Amino acid sequence: MPPALVALALGAFGIGTTEFVIVGLLPQVAGDLGVSIPSAGLLVSGYALSVVVGAPLITAGGSRVPRKQLLVGLMGLFILGNLVCAVADDYALLMVGRVVAALCHGAFFGVGSVVAAGLVAPDRRARAIAMMFTGLTAANVLGVPLGTALGQSFGWRSTFWAVTALGVAGLVGVLAFVPPQPASTGLRGELAVFRRPGVWLALATTALGFGAVFASFTYVAPMMTEVAGFAPGAVTWLLVLFGVGLFVGNVVGGRAADRRLMPSLYAFLGALVVVLVVFAFTAHWQVPAAVTIAVFGVFGFATVAPLQARMLEQASGAPALASAANIAAFNLGNAAGAWLGGQAIDAGFGYTAPNWVGAALALAGLGVAVVSGVSDRARRSRPAATV
């Protein structure tokens, strides 16, 4: 693995930890700050919405900045946001810190995906993207469970101090290993790709497909403690299972996408629908719930590399802004999924209801992906049909 990919994965590890660790700490944060679980869940939505806004704006604003320098600045912003979270003494300030930290997220993964894809041969691009996103899977295998355990033992603020240190390590890695990178083609060239219908269909597939994951995942902690009957301390190990599933799914998704991109995407989204429907039932028993969490992680994250590779394919020639917009779409889905899952709980449908919401979103994402694939085939066949 090129050292630059390791550096990008290290940055992704820090960013992934701060994004996901709040899920395992929702009960502690809600109790300490005196808010409800659905209100605490909005810390997930607030982060995600900040990514949605920050990804295109920061990437567009930095279109003339060499990519390595842009990545360095983004890691600095990440460190600042997590420092604010670590010293927050009320819900509003914690939300501000989450929003600031999230501003770097979309641009980092968007620009980082372009850098990663450019480091390898064309037939290995999805795997290179998957390697960078290994940082996210490692965050779920190691960062999130350890951060959850740390927060449960020493208070949730200690977790954000640890994440701040991860940000510093990521910054050092980018400075040391990522080679100099040119700026993008300029804002006009980057904006031009949004005239392509395929780009918008890719964005919609991403938002719906990953919204399905967060509709359920946001409420895993209360689902496991209130429905399955696990002790709060067991949530850490359940998140380890989920993280192992993410790691496996990331590897499988990257390899499958390099071989057959669209069929792989169809298969993973379809499997996600099935797993979430099953989870609505298995959540009532501890062993089946634990197994389903691991399988959920596999198919939830197997979609990531194909979705990002699909955007790079559709936005060929000027991919940086479109890639960042796709990260924004991931997080728009995260925010909408978390909000819809919370609405289902607030409506009295119980803690398993977010699984049904997620299944519906995944099914919608599969439908859009099929439309996108059919549209591509029709477009490619037109020249031959007119000969």
Side-chain angles (χ1 to χ4, degrees), residues 14 27 44 57-58 89 100 159 162 177 207 229 252 293 299 322 343 368 380:
V44 176
L57 289 182
I58 291 179
D89 58 0
V100 171
T159 300
F177 297 113
V252 171
I293 283 175
F299 290 110
Q343 291 298 300
V368 175
R380 286 195 295 266

Side-chain angles (χ1 to χ4, degrees), residues 291-315:
V291 172
T292 309
I293 283 175
V295 177
F296 176 32
V298 171
F299 290 110
F301 220 79
T303 62
V304 172
L307 287 168
Q308 193 69 358
R310 175 64 171 170
M311 176 54 74
L312 293 181
E313 178 183 81
Q314 293 298 302

Side-chain angles (χ1 to χ4, degrees), residues 19 44-60 98-107 194 200 203 206-207 321-337:
E19 178 180 20
V44 176
S45 297
Y47 184 100
L49 288 173
S50 181
V51 176
V52 172
V53 174
L57 289 182
I58 291 179
T59 305
R98 295 281 292 168
V99 167
V100 171
L103 287 173
C104 80
H105 182 123
F194 289 96
W200 290 101
L203 289 171
T206 295
L321 184 56
S323 179
N326 203 45
I327 301 299
F330 275 110
N331 285 272
L332 178 61
N334 294 357

Side-chain angles (χ1 to χ4, degrees), residues 169-273:
L171 174 61
V172 172
V174 171
L175 283 168
F177 297 113
V178 174
Q181 295 285 323
S184 71
T185 58
L187 184 56
R188 181 175 296 180
E190 295 286 344
L191 287 173
V193 300
F194 289 96
R195 299 193 189 102
R196 304 174 189 174
V199 168
W200 290 101
L201 288 171
L203 289 171
T205 304
T206 295
L208 290 166
F210 219 65
V213 175
F214 264 71
S216 173
F217 179 63
T218 300
Y219 302 99
V220 157
M223 196 187 308
M224 293 300 95
T225 55
E226 300 298 325
V227 180
F230 284 101
V235 171
T236 298
W237 300 108
L238 292 169
L239 291 176
V240 170
L241 282 176
F242 183 77
V244 170
L246 296 187
F247 181 84
V248 173
N250 186 53
V251 173
V252 171
R255 291 180 179 276
D258 275 332
R259 292 190 183 102
R260 299 188 68 192
L261 178 55
M262 293 308 291
S264 300
L265 189 54
Y266 302 152
F268 295 143
L269 287 171
L272 186 58
V273 174

